[in-house]
Amino acid sequence: KESSMNKISKAIISTLSILLLFSCEDNENNTEPVLAEFGSISGEITFSGAWPDSGEVLITLDTSYPPMGPPAGFAYITNDEVTGGVYNYSFSNLSFRSYEAITITYWSLGYATAGTNYSLIGSFIDSINVTQDDADLTINMDATFN
């Protein structure tokens, strides 16, 4: 006659074996696409004209246009980062929403000085809808120093 401990052990082993068998999943047959959690906007800016000796160049991603409040993303652009007149930019980890403008501005006295000492040298002013289905967008632009 089998002991009750032996019966319990066999029952536990059988149960664990069944659980292990059903927990194995065939991931290769999973046809569901992996949905993005964040989006990105990237592209190239082609600069023309003479790069200024002073001041700062700034690219911003704005949620409204004209801009109201801080941008959703920004970066300073230096002449050292421009190769053959082209700068590659990227705004990543963006929330799914509509963005209204990407602007490239030249601040002759530097960005830290408040006021209107800037020139709009390039832009994409239109709704940019970053969605889970269209998460990675490419927008190329031109910027001209006068």
Side-chain angles (χ1 to χ4, degrees), residues 35-40 92-96 130-132 134-136:
L35 297 175
E37 294 182 31
F38 298 99
S40 70
S92 57
N93 295 321
L94 298 175
S95 298
F96 299 125
V130 179
T131 65
Q132 201 165 34
D134 201 7
D136 298 311

Side-chain angles (χ1 to χ4, degrees), residues 2-90:
E2 214 174 335
S3 74
S4 61
M5 276 306 270
N6 200 10
K7 286 181 183 179
I8 293 173
S9 295
K10 284 183 179 180
I12 290 173
I13 290 172
S14 296
T15 303
L16 289 176
S17 297
I18 291 170
L19 287 175
L20 180 63
L21 180 66
F22 284 112
S23 68
C24 292
E25 184 178 322
D26 185 5
N27 288 331
E28 291 180 22
N29 290 332
N30 188 356
T31 58
E32 292 295 317
V34 176
L35 297 175
E37 294 182 31
F38 298 99
S40 70
I41 301 170
S42 60
E44 295 180 345
I45 301 169
T46 303
F47 285 94
S48 60
W51 195 276
D53 292 332
S54 63
E56 296 175 314
V57 177
L58 187 69
I59 180 172
T60 59
L61 174 64
D62 297 296
T63 56
S64 62
Y65 192 83
M68 306 275 290
F74 73 94
Y76 290 96
I77 303 171
T78 64
N79 193 20
D80 295 340
E81 298 170 310
V82 177
T83 304
V86 176
Y87 172 79
N88 293 302
Y89 75 93
S90 180

